[in-house]
Amino acid sequence: MIELAVFDMAGTTIEEHGAVYEALRRAVEETGVAVAPADLQTWMGTDKREAIAALVRIGGGTPDAGLVERQYGAFRTFLKKHYEDVPPQPTAHADKALAELRARGIRIALTTGFSDDVALPLLASLGWATGEGGNLDAVVTSDEVRRGRPAPYMIHRAMEKCGVDDVRTVLVAGDTAVDLTAGTNAGAGVVVGVLTGRLTREQLELHPHTYVLDSVADIPGLPETARD
């Protein structure tokens, strides 16, 4: 029986119209290196500072700490402008799915490769929050752990915040390969890939998973989330 559902944010529960992908590409290419789409996709879902450093290195650049911090600032600027031009919104029926799971007694946590200063205003713009009257039980950002995905630490931190002891009672869902890998590394009982990001079913199915679904709207229909 699932006690906790841990969802990725951008591309999984939040439709942000490719803003993260584009902002990351621009931030890296601003350093003068080229970014291959396959490499960019590999680093989607990870801590964004780690992603910038890795992509600059892959492109032949030298990602010293100063450069990474400058380009992270550029990433934030590009992302903020995109969000102003095209406001994010929940992926189709995501808010309803989260509410349905919570009504069954399943706790809801969001994890993200964003830092607090990006993630929390994004959630606030949607009216999503933890605490009394909120629709979430926990939010874990990259600021709270030593390493982001594919390490399992954000999932384990969500368990800690929600008071869940047995990782076999945790469902993890995301739209990228690193989401699935992080769920598997954490030992989650159910690992779900969703097709609301940039990867196809065939691409997601190359990675360890329990299910690949069209969207998080299908998760309340899984037998593991049912209640008698």
Side-chain angles (χ1 to χ4, degrees), residues 62-209:
T62 303
D64 61 76
L67 180 143
V68 170
E69 202 57 38
R70 285 193 302 274
Q71 296 318 117
Y72 180 69
F75 165 79
R76 288 179 55 200
T77 299
F78 295 145
L79 192 65
K80 182 175 183 292
K81 179 64 166 60
H82 198 292
Y83 284 171
E84 289 171 351
D85 293 342
V86 186
Q89 59 196 55
T91 55
H93 306 297
D95 43 1
K96 180 181 177 182
L98 301 190
E100 186 171 347
L101 293 172
R102 279 191 106 206
R104 298 177 190 177
I106 297 172
R107 278 153 281 188
I108 301 296
L110 299 185
T111 62
T112 179
F114 294 153
S115 53
D116 285 353
D117 56 355
V118 176
L120 301 183
L122 172 56
L123 292 174
S125 74
L126 299 175
W128 289 11
T130 59
E132 187 174 354
N135 66 329
L136 307 171
D137 296 289
V139 175
V140 181
T141 71
S142 61
D143 289 333
E144 298 185 53
V145 292
R146 288 187 62 187
R147 282 202 61 207
R149 307 180 189 112
Y153 307 136
M154 286 199 291
I155 296 165
H156 292 161
R157 178 66 175 139
M159 292 174 62
E160 182 181 8
K161 284 186 165 187
C162 293
V164 173
D165 298 326
D166 189 347
V167 73
R168 294 171 297 181
T169 68
V170 176
L171 178 149
V172 173
D175 66 298
T176 67
V178 293
D179 292 321
L180 302 186
T181 304
T184 301
N185 288 343
V190 178
V191 177
V192 179
V194 295
L195 300 176
T196 45
R198 287 177 171 262
L199 295 185
T200 65
R201 179 179 298 275
E202 291 73 23
Q203 289 171 319
L204 280 176
E205 286 179 345
L206 293 174
H207 305 276
H209 65 279

Side-chain angles (χ1 to χ4, degrees), residues 10 16-29 35-45 48 55 75 78-79 82-83 114 175-176 197-199:
E16 41 79 67
H17 311 285
V20 175
Y21 185 97
E22 183 63 17
L24 186 57
R25 182 190 65 79
R26 290 181 64 183
V28 175
E29 290 188 343
V35 182
D39 292 330
L40 185 56
Q41 186 59 58
T42 295
W43 285 91
M44 287 290 288
K48 296 304 175 283
L55 290 167
F75 165 79
F78 295 145
L79 192 65
H82 198 292
Y83 284 171
F114 294 153
D175 66 298
T176 67
R198 287 177 171 262
L199 295 185

